[in-house]
Amino acid sequence: MTTSDHLDCYAVLGQPIHHSLSPQIHAAFATQTGQALRYTAIEVAPADLISTLNQLPGDGFKGINITVPHKEAAWAYAQQHGTLSERAAMAGAVNTIAWTPNGIIGDNTDGQGLLNDLQQRHGLNLAGKRILLLGAGGATRGVVLPLLAAAPTTLVIANRTDTRAVELANLFTPKAVAAGCLLHGCGLDALPQVISATGPFDIVINATSASLGGEAIPLPAGTLSANGFAYDMMYGKAPTAFLEAQRAAGVIHLADGLGMLVEQAAVAFALWRGIAPATQPVYNALRAQLAQK
Ligand code: ATR
């Protein structure tokens, strides 16, 4: 991994990693902003993660992204050897590391990436809205704090296994109270009661991994308000099973997670390079590429 020139190096670490779009995204950001850097994908087995993290700075690496299955281990590494941003500390997962003159910074840009996609690309204002967040795994935990910062009135975390949703809601309750948001955790099967008691949601976000297996999440009729918005963090050539089911249920405003992927990358790029790239041209190129697959 040692480089023969003096370009700043970046990479995404994961296993498997061959499918990653991150090298393409960051190469596009670098060209667009005139930043001289190299960004590669490195396949790393869990047993090799720590030694790889120890080695990379000496090889000229200034930062990395971390993806499945290493985000929690990277969190522990950054906590032990450096500083965690608050959003990373609470997410329990790190997707971005920066090696700076002041040490190691561990961050999590997923939640801000989601917010930027929802607010800037899809034109949503989350303030005062009722949001339903599906799932209680790492993807959910990574976005709760940034969602609360956008000042919704209500955030309900609903999960197949209700105890995980309740635990997550409990973890973030002090932050929700400070943000003036009503935060509630429940099972998916409790949604009919929640909706009949408090009304429909403005936005539903699927943060489960169900779409990976082509499965939709059964939601009660009337989950979304008439002008409601359905979002899936997953993406693909075709709409995900979740989005298809929402469309069949009459929802008009739908979006997948391709924009979140580009936006979380842009937040990481800005952290490393101090310059925010324009995301829309990169998003458009990836969308066109996906359609041709
Ligand atoms: P990640 O880090 O990607 O969030 P995870 O921690 O394994 O992955 O969590 C996966 C999430 O998707 C969980 O909330 C899981 O529900 P359970 O906690 O009940 O396992 C949810 N999930 C996965 N497949 C699902 C399905 N077919 N229907 C509903 N929820 C599903």
Side-chain angles (χ1 to χ4, degrees):
M1 276 178 275
T2 306
T3 54
S4 53
D5 52 37
H6 297 293
L7 277 183
D8 287 348
C9 294
Y10 299 86
V12 58
L13 271 55
Q15 187 182 51
I17 202 63
H18 62 271
H19 65 282
S20 175
L21 295 173
S22 293
Q24 185 183 343
I25 294 171
H26 283 279
F29 288 164
T31 302
Q32 179 205 111
T33 56
Q35 298 281 302
L37 58 86
R38 173 177 292 131
Y39 189 109
T40 52
I42 305 176
E43 175 114 6
V44 180
D48 299 329
L49 180 67
I50 302 304
S51 59
T52 304
L53 292 174
N54 287 335
Q55 185 188 335
L56 288 176
D59 288 345
F61 283 78
K62 302 292 186 215
I64 50 167
N65 290 127
I66 296 108
T67 187
V68 177
H70 301 313
K71 288 185 184 182
E72 286 80 9
W75 180 91
Y77 183 88
Q79 193 204 34
Q80 193 182 348
H81 299 288
T83 311
L84 288 169
S85 65
E86 187 189 25
R87 61 193 179 191
M90 289 214 67
V94 156
N95 80 335
T96 303
I97 282 178
W99 284 287
T100 76
N102 298 325
I104 299 171
I105 296 171
D107 200 357
N108 189 316
T109 66
D110 286 332
Q112 191 59 46
L114 171 67
L115 274 194
N116 291 351
D117 193 34
L118 290 173
Q119 295 178 323
Q120 292 166 19
R121 181 159 296 102
H122 302 296
L124 296 180
N125 176 7
L126 305 190
K129 297 294 193 306
R130 287 172 47 76
I131 302 178
L132 173 61
L133 187 53
L134 303 174
T140 298
R141 187 168 165 175
V143 302
V144 173
L145 195 61
L147 281 178
L148 289 174
T153 54
T154 307
L155 179 61
V156 172
I157 301 173
N159 192 46
R160 181 173 59 183
T161 310
D162 59 354
T163 48
R164 294 187 75 194
V166 172
E167 279 166 24
L168 213 49
N170 287 343
L171 181 69
F172 284 94
T173 290
K175 295 292 180 187
V177 169
C181 174
L182 190 69
L183 176 63
H184 177 66
C186 66
L188 288 172
D189 54 3
L191 280 176
Q193 295 99 289
V194 171
I195 291 160
S196 69
T198 60
F201 293 90
D202 301 300
I203 299 163
V204 58
I205 300 168
N206 182 18
T208 76
S209 49
S211 292
L212 278 179
E215 286 183 62
I217 309 278
L219 294 178
T223 294
L224 276 179
S225 57
N227 216 21
F229 187 95
Y231 189 94
D232 197 336
M233 288 193 195
M234 302 280 165
Y235 63 87
K237 178 183 166 80
T240 66
F242 172 77
L243 293 178
E244 281 297 5
Q246 290 302 304
R247 192 198 306 274
V251 178
I252 299 163
H253 307 293
L254 308 147
D256 71 10
L258 185 67
M260 178 179 170
L261 175 78
V262 177
E263 297 299 334
Q264 63 77 31
V267 179
F269 189 92
L271 176 78
W272 295 325
R273 307 301 298 185
I275 180 165
T279 54
Q280 194 61 26
V282 181
Y283 172 84
N284 289 342
L286 288 180
R287 181 65 76 194
Q289 185 178 312
L290 211 54
Q292 282 168 3
K293 277 193 175 168

